[in-house]
Amino acid sequence: MKDIANSFHILFAIIEKQNEEIEFLKTENQKLRDEINLLKGEQIKPKILGSKKNEDLSSEKERRNRDHL
């Protein structure tokens, strides 16, 4: 049983490493595509930032409690 757990640990480590490499390669690929487009005289893909998460959000229950006070 210990061998199976150890095998899963190794497998998950390999998967995590591969995911990191895939993300790096996706970013690098997009940079190269942008550079090619610039050399062709075309526009690059715009960098769209995700919305910032507002940490000051209250739950419906909290809003109801404040309204009743």
Side-chain angles (χ1 to χ4, degrees), residues 14-69:
I14 292 170
I15 291 170
E16 184 177 352
K17 181 71 173 168
Q18 286 180 336
N19 282 336
E20 290 173 3
E21 188 170 350
I22 288 169
E23 288 304 314
F24 171 77
L25 291 173
K26 282 181 179 180
T27 304
E28 186 68 21
N29 192 8
Q30 187 60 53
K31 286 179 187 176
L32 293 172
R33 286 174 189 252
D34 291 344
E35 188 174 342
I36 289 169
N37 285 338
L38 280 175
L39 292 172
K40 287 178 166 180
E42 299 174 3
Q43 293 182 347
I44 62 172
K45 182 179 178 182
K47 294 179 182 174
I48 301 172
L49 301 175
S51 62
K52 293 183 180 177
K53 196 172 192 179
N54 187 355
E55 297 297 330
D56 192 26
L57 295 177
S58 57
S59 68
E60 186 67 29
K61 185 177 181 181
E62 290 172 335
R63 286 192 291 268
R64 286 185 197 147
N65 287 341
R66 277 188 293 191
D67 291 341
H68 292 301
L69 295 177

